[in-house]
Amino acid sequence: MYLAAQPGSLQLTQQGQLKHFLTTEGLPKTLLTRILDHTESFLGVENKKVKNAPLLRGKTVMTLFFEDSTRTRTTFELAAQHLSANVMNLNVKHSATSKGESLLDMLHNLEAMSVDMFIVRHPESGAAHFVAQQVKAGVSVINAGDGRHAHPTQALLDMFTIRKTKGAFEPLTIAIVGDIQHSRVARSQIHALNTLGTGEVRVIGPKTLIPHALSQFNVKLYHNLSRGLKDVDVIILLRLQKERMSSDLLPSKHEFYQTYGLTAEKLKLAKPDAIVMHPGPINRGVEIASDVADSDQSVILQQVRYGLATRMAILSMTINTQDKQLFSEEARTS
Ligand code: CP
């Protein structure tokens, strides 16, 4: 339980604005909607001749990735560059952590270089919250994925993709398929989908890949893919997250594909205009057939494109809030 979403808490200012962005759990609908609306204003930035807006001019943003990434790190770096920030990636694998330096000591050293924002990915659940608790006032922390707990910016770019493609959330039936148990993306998506008023959220997967405490998530559970896909508007696929499995939970990838892989045939069970989503990286022939991944119904690359605008929105809404908060604290104490 991470109490980070109440006003005045770790994540939000007294005014209910983002100080850090750590989880979608408990964030109000108004704030999620504001992020989606703000994302609209950054759409298509990659096609503009002059890409940079001055919103983060003079700020230093550092990415700290203790786990591999293709999409999240690069879109965050591009997003910060497009907002005119100074952007640095600490190459964690080649950092002094290999000589025994702790995360906390590393943080204090980086803070001494006047970093304004850390974007953190870590294999341990709760790592981004820990960092947010340790940084000094005025420094923001964005959770770029922590263990199996949360990946809030992925969830927001997914919400943006759904809203852009389908409109309102209320009439939609959305199915999340695959390894829910180890998925930080699924947890963050489910919180956001419920807050935004989605008609029905289904999760589909084998018993070994579904969390025990599913009742707290307000979703309908299916173990049978064909039944779960019936008449859905959106299908979100997840890969098998082997790196977070403590033992073999499935007989084989081949069997998983036979039972839960999305093929063109199974896709026909959903509504004819259903979209297929995946946070990536995709494993063709495991959770998704290659022709489905490349089909007109797939919006997988749209998600990546929208990720850039979504992260620009989140960066600008978070870092500038910190300035306003400090300004009002100074005004109160002077
Ligand atoms: N979706 C996602 O988090 O992808 P990366 O691991 O490539 O960042």
Side-chain angles (χ1 to χ4, degrees):
M1 180 77 157
Y2 299 90
L3 295 174
Q6 285 81 30
S9 67
L10 182 61
Q11 183 163 236
L12 299 181
T13 65
Q14 292 292 350
Q15 294 73 34
Q17 292 178 312
L18 283 171
K19 210 165 23 167
H20 307 289
F21 194 49
L22 306 172
T23 174
T24 55
E25 185 176 2
L27 284 183
K29 185 176 182 180
T30 46
L31 181 57
L32 296 185
T33 305
R34 213 176 327 134
I35 295 172
L36 301 183
D37 292 345
H38 203 39
T39 299
E40 289 281 354
S41 65
F42 291 115
L43 267 192
V45 71
E46 67 275 16
N47 301 321
K48 290 190 178 147
K49 262 193 185 153
V50 180
K51 296 179 173 51
N52 291 11
L55 293 169
L56 266 63
R57 183 169 291 155
K59 303 286 187 189
T60 301
V61 173
M62 185 171 281
T63 53
L64 287 179
F65 275 56
F66 294 81
E67 248 187 24
D68 295 339
S69 165
T70 297
R71 284 145 288 270
T72 311
R73 185 162 78 81
T74 48
T75 48
F76 262 122
E77 286 183 16
L78 274 176
Q81 283 170 15
H82 291 341
L83 293 168
S84 309
N86 304 313
V87 188
M88 289 191 63
N89 169 53
L90 182 83
N91 190 336
V92 173
K93 278 188 187 135
H94 295 102
S95 73
T97 48
S98 64
K99 302 175 194 167
E101 186 171 45
S102 71
L103 174 59
L104 203 51
D105 283 327
M106 174 203 260
L107 258 182
H108 292 326
N109 278 271
L110 297 173
E111 272 190 321
M113 301 170 201
S114 299
V115 174
D116 297 288
M117 174 181 274
F118 292 107
I119 298 168
V120 182
R121 170 169 288 190
H122 202 284
E124 294 294 329
S125 297
H129 284 70
F130 173 76
V131 174
Q133 281 160 341
Q134 302 302 326
V135 291
K136 57 188 181 198
V139 176
S140 294
V141 177
I142 307 264
N143 184 1
D146 62 326
R148 61 175 79 174
H149 168 235
H151 195 348
T153 63
Q154 177 70 45
L156 262 292
L157 75 88
D158 294 334
M159 297 308 110
F160 185 82
T161 307
I162 293 168
R163 192 177 83 163
K164 199 79 186 149
T165 321
K166 293 281 168 196
F169 287 88
E170 286 78 3
L172 299 180
T173 301
I174 296 180
I176 306 176
V177 187
D179 181 2
I180 316 290
Q181 170 71 12
H182 303 96
S183 177
R184 54 196 177 207
V185 174
R187 282 169 179 74
S188 289
Q189 286 171 336
I190 291 167
H191 290 307
L193 287 169
N194 281 326
T195 303
L196 290 166
T198 305
E200 187 173 309
V201 182
R202 301 179 184 176
V203 300
I204 309 171
K207 283 191 178 122
T208 49
L209 296 180
I210 300 287
H212 295 303
L214 198 71
S215 55
Q216 73 192 41
F217 288 110
N218 187 26
V219 294
K220 275 196 178 170
L221 172 64
Y222 291 82
H223 294 303
N224 181 293
L225 181 64
S226 301
R227 281 196 213 118
L229 289 183
K230 188 102 184 64
D231 295 330
V232 300
D233 300 280
V234 177
I235 304 168
I236 303 175
L237 300 171
L238 301 171
R239 82 187 160 86
L240 296 173
Q241 290 135 89
K242 289 269 184 203
E243 70 277 20
R244 289 195 275 280
M245 291 184 193
S246 49
S247 59
D248 277 341
L249 297 171
L250 290 167
S252 69
K253 283 182 186 172
H254 177 71
E255 189 159 317
F256 181 81
Y257 182 64
Q258 294 301 319
T259 319
Y260 292 101
L262 186 67
T263 59
E265 203 51 39
K266 287 177 187 156
L267 178 55
K268 285 184 193 150
L269 295 164
K271 286 190 182 156
D273 63 348
I275 55 168
V276 177
M277 299 174 62
H278 194 310
I282 63 171
N283 287 167
R284 292 170 188 258
V286 182
E287 70 272 7
I288 188 167
S290 210
D291 58 342
V292 173
D294 300 329
S295 72
D296 289 344
Q297 283 174 269
S298 164
V299 294
I300 295 170
L301 293 180
Q302 289 278 67
Q303 289 171 259
V304 179
R305 208 166 298 124
Y306 293 151
L308 179 61
T310 308
R311 288 179 171 127
M312 286 179 79
I314 292 166
L315 288 180
S316 61
M317 286 173 72
T318 308
I319 211 161
N320 289 323
T321 305
Q322 289 278 54
D323 277 353
K324 281 181 214 138
Q325 162 107 341
L326 280 182
F327 180 74
S328 64
E329 276 167 10
E330 276 166 24
R332 269 204 309 276
T333 52
S334 62

